[in-house]
């Protein structure tokens, strides 16, 4: 896990492009939830220069991967569950 800051310098056109992409994804009624999550995670990873992004659900002591986007193969897959203590989300 790493800390990062996104610089606002020169973010004008880049941010506008990301927001346009998000608007397009979220306004597409024919796109399913899984496809929308994948696209949003991809846009977020590109904008924040991250290797992977995850949408997860925490219920009780369970952490469930709902969607994941990564640049490389990973053992973590959509649908996997972990006990909360096995994650960074204590």
């Amino acid at each position: 896990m790493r800390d990062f800051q996104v610089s606002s310098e020169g973010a004008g056109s880049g941010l506008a492009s990301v927001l346009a992409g998000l608007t397009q994804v979220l306004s597409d009624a024919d796109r399913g939830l899984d496809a929308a999550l994948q696209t949003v995670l991809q846009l977020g990873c590109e904008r924040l220069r991250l290797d992977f992004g995850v949408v997860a659900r925490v219920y009780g002591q369970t952490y469930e991967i709902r969607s994941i986007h990564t640049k490389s193969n990973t053992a973590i897959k959509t649908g996997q569950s972990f006990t909360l203590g096995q994650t960074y989300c204590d």
Side-chain angles (χ1 to χ4, degrees):
M1 188 173 221
R2 69 179 190 198
D3 291 330
F4 60 89
Q5 293 182 344
V6 177
S7 171
S8 61
E9 295 176 21
S13 64
L15 181 57
S17 175
V18 169
L19 292 175
L22 288 173
T23 300
Q24 182 178 7
V25 168
L26 298 175
S27 64
D28 183 354
D30 294 328
R31 184 186 301 259
L33 178 60
D34 292 336
L37 285 174
Q38 279 295 307
T39 303
V40 168
L41 285 171
Q42 180 181 352
L43 289 169
C45 286
E46 288 171 1
R47 175 68 181 153
L48 299 173
R49 290 180 246 126
L50 297 173
D51 293 331
F52 69 95
V54 174
V55 173
R57 175 180 174 218
V58 175
Y59 52 99
Q61 290 298 309
T62 303
Y63 180 94
E64 178 187 3
I65 305 292
R66 300 298 302 249
S67 187
I68 185 168
H69 171 79
T70 181
K71 293 179 181 180
S72 61
N73 287 335
T74 179
I76 300 172
K77 303 291 182 203
T78 298
Q80 280 186 294
S81 295
F82 306 92
T83 59
L84 197 56
Q86 293 176 301
T87 70
Y88 291 109
C89 299
D90 285 334

